Amino acid sequence: MRILIVGGGGREHALCWRLGQSASVDRLYAAPGNAGIGELATLVHVSAGDIPGLVEFAERESIDLTVVGPEAPLVAGLVDEMESRGMPVFGPTREAARIEGSKVWARELCQRHGIPAPRSRAFDDVHSAIAFLDELSPPYVVKADGIAAGKGVVIAEDQAEARVAVEACLVQRMFGDAGLRVLIEEFVEGTEVTAMALTDGRAVRPLALSRDYKRALDDDQGPNTGGMGAYSPVPSGGADVEAEIEEVVLAPAVRALEEEGIRYRGVLYGGLMLTKDGPKVLEFNCRFGDPEAQVVLPRLVANLPELLLASLEGNLSHYQVAWAEGACVGVVLASAGYPGPVETGRPISGLADAAGLPQVQVFHAGTVARDGRVVTAGGRVLTVTALGKDHEEARTRAYEACSRINFDGMAYRKDIAADAMEGAA
Ligand code: GLY
């Protein structure tokens, strides 16, 4: 089988690594990939946003399966373009990807089908939005409707902060069309988990629960990022919690989409808060999480290409998914300044040393090979992961591997998975 992976982050490196372990895979391509992916796959100089370029490449190279990593090409309709030409592609169509592409649409879907979510309302008018704040108690959650490069969600401590966030979207148009509408939500307390599932539009196969760390700094301080680390499984997410999440969130969401005439194939990502009243949906995404994929895929006991093909061919109900015992912990190494502007081109040392440690995998994100060296090329540079018999062992190994790697300005959180060991998660 010839597989094309679209994207160039840590998630896509983890996908390449797992797909490449299958005997049925002859050849891997990645567009555009990164330096780490380049060791496993042929890099294609086409960006993840270049839909005509990707379609043309997949057609020319007779690709048997295209796997789309990031949300932007899904929301822009890459799957529709490929499917209309009869090309096998893993991921939801443009219409189905609205579950991530429009937060307002996703919330309304929850409301129509009784899927538990925080109380919320959508606005395109500043005055009504601000008036609604009186109906909620602080803190307030203000979300731009569309995709805003991970910067569209603000947790405002008081009404003044919430007003600034609303005005940034609706008046200053900081996020362009993505902020033409805002969603204002109540803040719900609990344990945040990522619940992803593979689906063919009917059958749902939940993936192991994971936890993502969104803030840049230790103790959940600093700005929101794409994710600074993750672990799987989640100690408080036992079999009963997993069953409840499948029963009240994942399966109903797929059913709701089908009832509305939308066949959702791919990964459905639920960002959930486990509250004292049960799970509530904070967000849905239309793809694997990053860095969640990097800690969930290493624990997968299954043939990944078969599962992805089953999802798009509609026979996922014939497959089961199992998970290795123990835990996986991933720590993101970022460039100084991330999630703001960063400098790139900094040589990275110690990669082979780190990757040589037992049970360690170093997944590349913002890296590029230049003159025989690997140099930084973005904000999130690497996800250093390790497996262990428990969270403590996995965490110790991951941080030991981090200590072997260096680049100018390297920044990372030191508290990834600390809560898992203390039994607080
Ligand atoms: N780590 C969060 C996300 O992938 O959306």
Side-chain angles (χ1 to χ4, degrees):
M1 200 189 317
R2 295 156 73 82
I3 299 185
L4 168 65
I5 287 122
V6 176
R11 163 184 52 208
E12 288 77 28
H13 192 180
L15 280 165
C16 255
W17 171 75
R18 267 327 297 259
L19 290 165
Q21 289 170 355
S22 165
S24 56
V25 175
D26 307 308
R27 190 104 198 242
L28 285 168
Y29 297 90
N34 58 38
I37 295 175
E39 292 174 12
L40 307 172
T42 304
L43 300 187
V44 182
H45 297 294
V46 176
S47 81
D50 178 359
I51 291 181
L54 293 166
V55 171
E56 195 266 330
F57 176 82
E59 208 154 43
R60 175 160 43 85
E61 294 296 328
S62 306
I63 296 296
D64 300 301
L65 173 64
T66 298
V67 180
V68 189
E71 62 278 12
L74 295 167
V75 172
L78 174 59
V79 169
D80 308 63
E81 284 297 321
M82 290 193 159
E83 277 184 351
S84 70
R85 291 167 169 77
M87 298 157 73
V89 53
F90 176 82
T93 58
R94 183 194 344 237
E95 193 182 30
R98 275 176 87 191
I99 204 152
E100 176 163 4
S102 170
K103 293 186 174 65
V104 171
W105 188 82
R107 268 291 168 268
E108 289 170 353
L109 184 84
C110 289
Q111 284 159 2
R112 282 196 295 277
H113 295 269
I115 298 166
R119 193 170 156 219
S120 71
R121 206 177 294 168
F123 299 93
D124 55 13
D125 158 70
V126 177
H127 302 292
S128 324
I130 289 168
F132 180 61
L133 295 172
D134 284 336
E135 295 186 27
L136 303 175
S137 318
Y140 310 94
V141 183
V142 180
K143 298 178 171 175
D145 178 38
I147 291 178
K151 294 182 182 142
V153 179
V154 171
I155 298 174
E157 292 305 327
D158 52 34
Q159 287 211 5
E161 240 184 83
R163 179 187 288 252
V164 169
V166 168
E167 287 176 351
C169 288
L170 297 181
V171 180
Q172 282 111 37
R173 297 277 159 90
M174 207 130 107
F175 304 115
D177 287 357
L180 286 178
R181 287 193 294 174
V182 292
L183 203 58
I184 298 184
E185 291 190 353
E186 66 171 336
F187 180 85
V188 288
E189 301 215 29
T191 301
E192 206 172 327
V193 297
T194 298
M196 300 182 279
L198 287 170
T199 179
D200 61 7
R202 297 211 171 104
V204 172
R205 291 288 175 270
L207 305 184
L209 292 181
S210 53
R211 187 182 168 211
D212 173 30
Y213 292 77
K214 292 209 169 66
R215 299 293 194 100
L217 306 174
D218 284 5
D219 298 323
D220 289 332
Q221 301 297 306
N224 261 331
T225 69
M228 293 299 290
Y231 63 78
S232 174
V234 177
S236 60
D240 50 339
V241 174
E242 287 176 335
E244 186 181 15
I245 290 172
E246 181 175 358
E247 191 184 321
V248 305
V249 176
L250 298 171
V254 172
R255 219 167 28 239
L257 288 158
E258 196 188 9
E259 279 170 23
E260 300 207 358
I262 299 169
R263 183 99 190 245
Y264 189 105
R265 279 176 283 213
V267 172
L268 180 64
Y269 170 124
L272 311 182
M273 191 66 88
L274 304 181
T275 73
K276 61 178 174 32
D277 302 320
K280 294 199 177 185
V281 177
L282 302 181
E283 63 176 352
F284 279 124
N285 292 327
C286 62
R287 32 101 196 148
F288 286 103
D290 183 345
E292 291 95 324
Q294 294 93 301
V295 296
V296 168
L297 292 174
R299 298 187 55 233
L300 175 69
V301 184
N303 184 317
L304 186 59
E306 265 180 18
L307 279 178
L308 302 189
L309 279 173
S311 302
L312 68 97
E313 287 166 357
N315 53 12
L316 191 61
S317 60
H318 300 143
Y319 290 82
Q320 293 304 325
V321 179
W323 304 97
E325 292 293 322
C328 188
V329 171
V331 180
V332 170
L333 304 185
S335 299
Y338 175 75
V342 300
E343 294 194 3
T344 57
R346 304 295 165 93
I348 306 171
S349 63
L351 286 169
D353 192 11
L357 294 172
Q359 305 284 11
V360 167
Q361 286 296 327
V362 179
F363 294 117
H364 289 222
T367 69
V368 68
R370 186 178 298 161
D371 303 326
R373 298 201 66 170
V374 177
V375 303
T376 64
R380 287 194 290 179
V381 176
L382 302 162
T383 309
V384 179
T385 71
L387 288 160
K389 66 177 187 306
D390 53 24
H391 291 85
E392 183 169 7
E393 188 174 83
R395 179 173 195 266
T396 303
R397 285 177 171 156
Y399 276 110
E400 173 59 27
C402 291
S403 75
R404 309 285 179 101
I405 297 174
N406 194 31
F407 54 86
D408 193 19
M410 182 171 104
Y412 60 99
R413 282 182 63 155
K414 311 294 185 301
D415 62 348
I416 304 299
D419 57 336
M421 294 192 313
E422 288 154 12

